Amino acid sequence: MSTADFARRQRFHDLYSDHHGWLLGWLRRQLGCPHQAADVAQNTFLRVLQVRDALYGVAEPRAWLTTTARRLLIDEARHRRIERAYLDALGHLGIGQEGHPSPEQTLAAVQALAQLGAVLEGVSAKAREAFTRHYLDGETHAQVADALAVSARMVRKYLAQVLVRACALGLQP
């Protein structure tokens, strides 16, 4: 292990030791559920580990951890809204009758929608619009280019940006 890796691990250990209890308590008060608070606290520190240089120059670690935890809570709320909307839509279709998706298929669809939402939130507005027009509305590259006032080549670049973002998040196209 290099000196830099050891130093990074030590900074993370110190951050975790110094602030995990405080963050867990803060999340318990915010959420009212110790189990959900523990999950979000754990996910907050996992997010810290994913950002390689996150521990350098953090002057206010509690503010930084609070912001990270809040963002995770927002992601979770967004996921639940998508899931509820999808399940409501399925409910109106008379799920349970023959020919309708199974609970496993429903879960897979909800997870796919949440992943798609995460991918599209991470790209520019034009890339998002190009993706939805082409893949959801069925427009050709030329039609999307006309609507966005760009070239068809730029539309292909926008679609590639979405694919690169999906790959960066570890999703399969």
Side-chain angles (χ1 to χ4, degrees), residues 76-116:
E76 179 65 25
R78 185 177 302 122
H79 172 76
R80 286 189 180 148
R81 275 195 313 269
I82 291 170
E83 184 177 9
R84 273 194 305 273
Y86 182 74
L87 292 174
D88 287 345
L90 289 177
H92 294 306
L93 295 174
I95 301 309
Q97 299 172 359
E98 184 150 340
H100 289 282
S102 69
E104 293 81 13
Q105 291 170 321
T106 301
L107 176 62
V110 168
Q111 289 172 339
L113 286 172
Q115 290 175 344
L116 179 59

Side-chain angles (χ1 to χ4, degrees), residues 85-165:
Y86 182 74
L87 292 174
D88 287 345
L90 289 177
H92 294 306
L93 295 174
I95 301 309
Q97 299 172 359
E98 184 150 340
H100 289 282
S102 69
E104 293 81 13
Q105 291 170 321
T106 301
L107 176 62
V110 168
Q111 289 172 339
L113 286 172
Q115 290 175 344
L116 179 59
V119 169
L120 292 178
E121 286 176 6
V123 297
S124 69
K126 283 198 174 186
R128 206 170 21 254
E129 187 171 353
F131 178 87
T132 56
R133 284 179 172 274
H134 180 68
Y135 288 107
L136 302 180
D137 298 338
E139 294 181 8
T140 65
H141 288 188
Q143 290 170 322
V144 175
D146 288 342
L148 297 179
V150 297
S151 67
R153 183 172 186 226
M154 195 67 219
V155 170
R156 287 190 294 278
K157 285 183 179 183
Y158 287 145
L159 296 176
Q161 286 174 8
V162 175
L163 181 60
V164 167
R165 173 74 176 155

